[in-house]
């Protein structure tokens, strides 16, 4: 509930976000999303970005953000980053919530949004882990040239993409797994 001063409690924000997802496994959902730090103060201004880093926390401080919402928590693969981010959040009094694989899997999330923008139709959800699917197989109604597909991706992502073309075939079916590709699940 929004207060008279325009603020809202962190737990209410998290509750509203969680209502957007069809949670089938609460334990897995909680391991892939949640509050990293709760500053125990009301939220008037929210900032959002993809990754929680020391730099994004600093930007949040500069802009007077009370709560950050990110797709990724601080990367565990970078030694000490999570602890350093939590310390900085506490020092600045900024709460943080992240939502990773549930957002990758949902119909308004990372994979499905990119598929929609590429004008593809989802054929199958793939790469299942504990009830979450972080990949998709999709296809075009009408085949397109590979170079046109690459151009579309670069336009949508607003950056160059790596690609390898091994034949002259048209693109019809696409496998998509959003993410950096650095992790492998057992």
């Amino acid at each position: 509930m929004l207060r008279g001063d325009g603020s809202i409690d962190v737990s209410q924000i998290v509750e509203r976000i969680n209502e957007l997802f069809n949670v089938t496994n609460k334990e897995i959902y909680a391991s892939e999303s949640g509050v990293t730090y709760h500053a125990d103060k009301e939220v008037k201004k929210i900032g959002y970005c993809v990754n929680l880093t020391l730099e994004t926390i600093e930007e949040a401080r500069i802009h007077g953000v009370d709560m950050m919402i990110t797709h990724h928590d601080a990367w565990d693969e970078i030694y000490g980053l999570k602890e350093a981010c939590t310390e900085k959040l506490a020092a600045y009094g900024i709460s943080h919530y992240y939502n990773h694989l549930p957002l990758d899997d949902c119909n308004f999330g990372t994979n499905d949004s990119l598929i929609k923008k590429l004008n593809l139709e989802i054929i199958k959800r793939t790469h299942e882990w504990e009830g979450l699917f972080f990949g998709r197989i999709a296809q075009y109604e009408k085949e397109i040239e590979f170079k046109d597909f690459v151009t579309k991706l670069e336009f949508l992502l607003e950056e160059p993409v790596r690609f390898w073309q091994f034949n002259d075939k048209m693109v019809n079916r696409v496998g998509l797994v959003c993410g950096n590709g650095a992790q492998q699940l057992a």
Side-chain angles (χ1 to χ4, degrees), residues 53-54 57 74 79-91:
T53 66
L54 296 171
I57 295 169
Y79 178 78
L81 180 61
K82 189 165 186 151
E83 294 79 11
C85 285
T86 303
E87 288 173 13
K88 193 170 254 199
L89 289 166

Side-chain angles (χ1 to χ4, degrees), residues 96-110:
H96 174 250
Y97 172 87
Y98 75 100
N99 192 302
H100 185 215
L101 287 180
L103 186 60
D104 283 340
D105 187 33
C106 71
N107 63 357
F108 59 87
T110 317

